[in-house]
Amino acid sequence: MTSKTIVLITGGNAGIGYETVAKLAADHPSTHHILMGTRSLAKGASALKALGSPSNVSPLELDITSDASIAAAVSQIKETYGKLDVLVNNAGTAGANFGDVVPPSLHGKDKTLREVYTHVYGVNVISTAVLTDALTPLLDAASPGPAKVIFISSTLGSIGTFVAGYHIVQCPWYNSSKAAVNYLSAWYSRVKPEWRVNAVCPGLNATGLNHVPLNEETHPKNGAVRACELVDQGAEGVTGTYSRRGLDKESGDVIPW
């Protein structure tokens, strides 16, 4: 197993995370082992069954908002595999009412604007940062290297795109959290030059984060494409980039920071 590429995808049991698990598992049946991060092993088991129970996918209980859960997951990865080759930081939230005017609602209850910002930043930024830091020793042990870390972001987090006239989406708590996620990506690309670290916008897809109707154009499988391209790049793959799916598999469609 340690000769395989070990991949962890947070929030891997649904939406874009699920589709990323599905694509990587199907594209690399004998070389990659995919850890499907899931807050509930029951949900992970259900998602695994929906995939057809491929032998190269294992659900991993991981709630990124819980230090205890992170510690347990890191310990399990270390004991089982001794390394982590790829981390896809996909788990996130937009707040329950994506794009609604404040006061939004979280978990069916009205919340103050402060509570919504705290919740969204707590998941998207703080928890993602804590998890990445906790996994650093295992990523440093990636073999053969380099380790790859992908932060799932959004074009809504692009300050350059926004000030250039991009349409206003009334969800500043989410948009600004993704700008912060972009900084985390840039930070790790600088302090860990031996890694390959990139931010990715999956595009507008019908997921649990929003109210977008599901069709072929908005299917979450489209959101997995760019992240999987980056996973597949070799040791000399790009790092320090911010992109989405494009015609060029190497550089993708570059997004201004």
Side-chain angles (χ1 to χ4, degrees), residues 103-124:
S105 172
L106 289 176
H107 311 300
K109 298 180 180 179
D110 287 340
K111 298 292 182 179
T112 66
L113 183 58
R114 181 180 296 279
E115 289 172 316
V116 172
Y117 267 96
T118 299
H119 170 72
V120 173
Y121 270 72
V123 176
N124 295 355

Side-chain angles (χ1 to χ4, degrees), residues 59-75:
L60 175 70
E61 188 169 29
L62 175 58
D63 177 355
I64 69 169
T65 67
S66 165
D67 288 347
S69 181
I70 289 174
V74 170
S75 178

Side-chain angles (χ1 to χ4, degrees), residues 70-88:
I70 289 174
V74 170
S75 178
Q76 185 173 339
I77 296 171
K78 181 179 180 179
E79 291 176 7
T80 307
Y81 310 102
K83 65 168 186 172
L84 182 63
D85 299 294
V86 180
L87 169 62
V88 181

Side-chain angles (χ1 to χ4, degrees), residues 149-257:
V149 180
I150 298 166
F151 290 84
I152 300 301
S153 181
S154 170
T155 301
L156 294 174
S158 168
I159 296 174
T161 298
F162 182 71
V163 297
Y166 196 70
H167 64 278
I168 296 175
V169 176
Q170 296 285 352
C171 195
W173 45 90
Y174 175 78
N175 308 344
S176 58
S177 78
K178 288 302 185 179
V181 167
N182 290 344
Y183 183 86
L184 288 177
S185 179
W187 168 265
Y188 276 102
S189 74
R190 289 288 306 281
V191 301
K192 285 292 184 179
E194 67 274 22
W195 295 0
R196 296 294 175 264
V197 186
N198 298 282
V200 170
C201 171
L204 183 62
N205 303 283
T207 71
L209 293 184
N210 55 49
H211 310 297
V212 175
L214 178 64
N215 55 48
E216 188 61 27
E217 195 67 24
T218 63
H219 196 286
K221 67 182 180 182
N222 298 319
V225 172
R226 182 58 185 156
C228 291
E229 287 177 350
L230 289 167
V231 171
D232 290 345
Q233 288 186 3
E236 301 305 315
V238 298
T239 190
T241 72
Y242 178 22
S243 66
R244 58 193 160 215
R245 180 166 55 117
L247 297 177
D248 189 332
K249 289 186 178 182
E250 289 301 309
S251 63
D253 179 14
V254 176
I255 305 171
W257 292 100

Side-chain angles (χ1 to χ4, degrees), residues 9-12 14 16-18 20 88-92 150-152 178:
I9 301 170
T10 65
I16 292 166
Y18 173 86
T20 306
V88 181
N89 279 314
N90 166 75
I150 298 166
F151 290 84
I152 300 301
K178 288 302 185 179

